[in-house]
Amino acid sequence: DIVLTQSPDSLALSLGERATINCMSSQGLLYNSNNQNYLGWYQQKPGQPPKLLISWASIRESGVPDRFSGSGSETYFTLTISSLQAEDVAVYYCQQYYTPPWTFGQGTKVEIK
Amino acid sequence: EVQLVESGGDLVQPGGSLRLSCATSGFSFSGYSMNWVRQAPGKGLEWIAYISISTNTVYYAHSVEGRFTISRDNAKNSVHLQMNNLRVEDTAMYYCARVGGGATLDFWGQGTRVTVSS
């Protein structure tokens, strides 16, 4: 099974600061036939279901603020929040859909300092 | 508006069974693959089951394979999860989620809670 390891487990930043969350995969997620990385990012606020932020490692979902961006390829991926807002307090998960069983990272909790 | 509404969660004893349902609306259900994802109290997300559009393809997490069965009823726009031989470690919030155009899980329900305890 593919293991996704996120770092850090948590981070506390001031409003307006940049947040960087990393996701490392135990095997490559780049499908050569279409040159796509099968990696998504989700945001989960307390008491709510997860919300999809990014597909294909870097494609932002409609309605997601442009302060959220995804990057990376193969085995190393990053979710960046360019300027942290109060409403971004949440747990963030990466997920691979390259091959079943699909797996999530353990989550990264983002808080305001 | 896309909506997914789970039901069927309950308190059940170890070894017991439950059937979860997810009623959907606001989209052409027969054109989308569906999943179940669970979250134990205070823990992260765990994908557990997938069913393709045509039901030809199903996948399960190792932790539930042989005990859980995913199915769908395209006429009723619903997806189900039959859970047998439940264990304490199956205690979780269970979410159904749609596979979107990006092959990620683009819409989620609010979840239904399953508690396995004696």
Side-chain angles (χ1 to χ4, degrees):
Chain A
D1 298 359
I2 295 176
V3 176
L4 299 180
T5 303
Q6 292 182 227
S7 61
D9 289 332
S10 65
L11 72 162
L13 298 169
S14 300
L15 291 172
E17 284 195 297
R18 175 185 294 262
T20 301
I21 300 168
N22 301 307
C23 176
M24 185 167 62
S25 176
S26 61
Q27 67 182 75
L29 304 181
L30 178 63
Y31 196 44
N32 290 329
S33 66
N34 59 8
N35 200 38
Q36 296 281 8
N37 286 282
Y38 283 55
L39 189 284
W41 288 96
Y42 299 83
Q43 174 194 64
Q44 187 178 31
K45 297 182 179 180
Q48 296 184 19
K51 173 188 174 183
L52 177 63
L53 296 177
I54 287 171
S55 300
W56 305 120
S58 62
I59 307 300
R60 204 166 37 242
E61 287 295 295
S62 174
V64 173
D66 61 7
R67 63 181 180 273
F68 291 91
S69 63
S71 62
S73 185
E74 292 280 9
T75 62
Y76 199 80
F77 302 89
T78 299
L79 175 70
T80 301
I81 310 173
S82 60
S83 177
L84 191 65
Q85 304 300 304
E87 61 264 34
D88 301 334
V89 168
V91 179
Y92 293 84
Y93 297 91
C94 55
Q95 182 230 342
Q96 67 82 16
Y97 45 101
Y98 182 85
T99 186
W102 291 286
T103 47
F104 289 89
Q106 81 276 17
T108 296
K109 187 173 185 179
V110 174
E111 299 173 301
I112 303 295
K113 190 187 298 181
Chain B
E1 180 191 5
V2 173
Q3 288 195 327
L4 296 84
V5 180
E6 302 92 338
S7 61
D10 205 347
L11 170 64
V12 61
Q13 292 189 339
S17 298
L18 276 178
R19 185 175 189 249
L20 306 184
S21 296
C22 174
T24 74
S25 60
F27 65 101
S28 181
F29 176 77
S30 60
Y32 290 84
S33 301
M34 299 294 294
N35 290 261
W36 287 94
V37 177
R38 70 183 180 184
Q39 186 169 36
K43 302 298 184 181
L45 301 170
E46 179 188 15
W47 169 84
I48 56 171
Y50 161 93
I51 188 165
S52 64
I53 293 170
S54 63
T55 75
N56 284 348
T57 302
V58 294
Y59 296 119
Y60 298 97
H62 300 309
S63 58
V64 305
E65 195 156 23
R67 299 187 299 124
F68 290 11
T69 302
I70 189 171
S71 63
R72 65 188 294 157
D73 185 337
N74 286 341
K76 295 184 178 180
N77 298 330
S78 60
V79 60
H80 307 280
L81 187 68
Q82 177 66 42
M83 305 188 297
N84 297 329
N85 191 21
L86 282 160
R87 305 168 179 169
V88 171
E89 55 265 33
D90 295 319
T91 294
M93 182 72 79
Y94 284 73
Y95 297 101
C96 69
R98 187 184 84 167
V99 179
T104 36
L105 305 178
D106 65 348
F107 282 94
W108 298 62
Q110 292 295 315
T112 187
R113 188 169 298 280
V114 173
T115 303
V116 185
S117 174
S118 55

